[in-house]
Amino acid sequence: MKELKKVSWRSPSNIALVKYWGKHGNQLPSNPSISFTLDQCYSETSLSISEKESKNSKDKGLELKFYFDKKENLAFRIKILSFFEGISKDFPFLSKYALSVNSTNSFPHSSGIASSASAMSALALCLVEMNSKLSGTKVKPDTDKLMKNASYYARIGSGSASRSIYPVASLWGAAHGVKGSSDEYAIPYEKQVNKVFKTYQNSILIASSAEKKVSSRVGHTLMKTNPFAKARYKQANENLTEVLDALKSGDLEKFGTITETEAMTLHALMMCSSPNFILMTPSTLAMIEKIKAFRESTKLPLYFTLDAGPNIHLLYPENIKSKVIPFIQADLSEHCENGKIIWDKVGKGPASIK
Ligand code: PMV
């Protein structure tokens, strides 16, 4: 069938500084979170529409083909179909046309990097741009309204994806004292951030690329019965206030201390869920010990954070790069699976691809 319209977006992954872990309702967070937007880890996604082949198509009126790395992918298709079904009343074109989604990641699928934030944010950007094109409103791709809408729908696809919409840093969830913050979408946080963070480095040390034993979806659900949930949500709000302070002043020690505590808390919550689980590996722990010892002996502001997985995200300012890289190569790379490291940094946010 002839393609009628096509939109394409590149959108990055992000790394949370204060973590979102626990949700309620339709993908609403139990505490506010903030992240750095990454640069090198991104998805490129296109959405095209054509006339439907038959009027009585299956899938509740949705006709979708999904390609990952140019190959049809049925497992991803099922996930996207259920996402589209959930939002189809807001996007009438989804059931009117035959849809084709093509997606690729800049990082290997099995690298242990969560792809849902980049993938769902890229797809949400495609949805809102396509919708505005079809409605003839001619909204420019990067207007505030389009971005806010994209963040809203990215959130429905994957909570953390809501934050990938904005450059440098983004905050999601109603936060005390942060004007405009909302549980429904993320807001840009670049302007409030000290310039030292705009070129911050994020070296991702791949301890293991094996598929996670417990998904984030299950992890969020287990917070409902976690005996420490209430204390955690209180702590997350307090840590957010502290991190926002550090992001503004450029206090790297305060910034790093909180981000490490957030990482350890996230994993501690997993370890005391019922059933409990551990996503760190012996390599993760070995690297953490070495990072702490390096910081102690050099007094350099090298800190780490963790996602819901075993890989270490090293966070450090650009001006100590020449001292940190040799340390990573000499002492940490031996703990990485096949020596795998992704050299990322804070990035400029999504871009429409022409
Ligand atoms: O967006 P989800 O449902 O994959 O959850 C992400 C959870 C963490 O990555 C662990 C934390 C966060 O805030 O990104």
Side-chain angles (χ1 to χ4, degrees), residues 146 163 271 354:
L146 190 139
R163 299 184 310 239
M271 287 189 243
K354 290 291 161 236

Side-chain angles (χ1 to χ4, degrees), residues 14-15 46 130 132 139 171 338:
N14 68 74
I15 179 70
S46 69
M130 181 65 88
S132 89
V139 182
L171 184 149
N338 303 319

Side-chain angles (χ1 to χ4, degrees), residues 148-197:
K148 187 168 166 178
N149 263 336
S151 178
Y152 178 97
Y153 290 104
R155 179 206 100 223
I156 293 173
S158 165
S160 58
S162 65
R163 299 184 310 239
S164 276
I165 301 295
Y166 297 107
V168 181
S170 176
L171 184 149
W172 170 44
H176 184 72
V178 184
K179 219 173 129 229
S181 62
S182 165
D183 282 353
E184 298 198 324
Y185 46 82
I187 57 169
Y189 210 78
E190 179 183 8
K191 288 201 183 103
Q192 297 89 323
V193 163
N194 188 286
K195 93 173 189 312
V196 67
F197 294 112

Side-chain angles (χ1 to χ4, degrees), residues 290-291 294 302 314 323-332:
K290 285 186 173 176
I291 295 159
F294 176 82
L302 175 70
L314 277 178
K323 298 200 178 79
V324 172
I325 292 175
F327 162 63
I328 296 176
Q329 279 162 340
D331 293 348
L332 301 180

Side-chain angles (χ1 to χ4, degrees), residues 91-229:
F91 295 97
F93 79 85
L94 288 175
S95 47
K96 196 165 166 209
Y97 298 98
L99 314 163
S100 175
V101 175
N102 275 267
S103 198
T104 58
N105 291 338
S106 64
F107 46 94
H109 181 54
S110 58
S111 66
I113 303 296
S115 57
S116 65
S118 54
M120 295 315 291
S121 55
L123 187 57
L125 284 156
C126 289
L127 284 173
V128 294
E129 193 193 352
M130 181 65 88
N131 204 41
S132 89
K133 274 192 163 174
L134 290 168
S135 65
T137 46
K138 291 206 176 124
V139 182
K140 281 222 238 98
D142 56 353
T143 56
D144 292 352
K145 189 163 173 236
L146 190 139
M147 292 303 179
K148 187 168 166 178
N149 263 336
S151 178
Y152 178 97
Y153 290 104
R155 179 206 100 223
I156 293 173
S158 165
S160 58
S162 65
R163 299 184 310 239
S164 276
I165 301 295
Y166 297 107
V168 181
S170 176
L171 184 149
W172 170 44
H176 184 72
V178 184
K179 219 173 129 229
S181 62
S182 165
D183 282 353
E184 298 198 324
Y185 46 82
I187 57 169
Y189 210 78
E190 179 183 8
K191 288 201 183 103
Q192 297 89 323
V193 163
N194 188 286
K195 93 173 189 312
V196 67
F197 294 112
K198 299 194 180 172
T199 54
Y200 231 59
Q201 304 295 300
N202 177 30
S203 304
I204 312 170
L205 312 170
I206 309 297
S208 167
S209 62
E211 192 163 334
K212 281 190 271 184
K213 286 175 287 198
V214 180
S215 68
S216 291
R217 191 177 52 80
V218 171
H220 287 294
T221 307
L222 290 175
M223 281 302 282
K224 290 202 193 308
T225 52
N226 190 303
F228 302 103

Side-chain angles (χ1 to χ4, degrees), residues 67-79:
Y67 301 87
F68 183 73
D69 279 344
K70 298 206 165 83
K71 284 198 224 68
E72 228 177 325
N73 188 311
L74 297 179
F76 286 163
R77 177 181 175 274
I78 291 169
K79 286 189 186 169

Side-chain angles (χ1 to χ4, degrees), residues 9 22-23 27 114 119 138 157 168 196 201 251-252 264 270 278 280 299 318 346 354:
W9 281 83
K23 61 179 172 180
Q27 296 271 102
K138 291 206 176 124
V168 181
V196 67
Q201 304 295 300
D251 182 338
L252 302 189
M264 296 304 232
M270 297 173 190
I278 303 179
M280 290 188 286
K299 308 289 176 218
E318 194 181 24
V346 165
K354 290 291 161 236

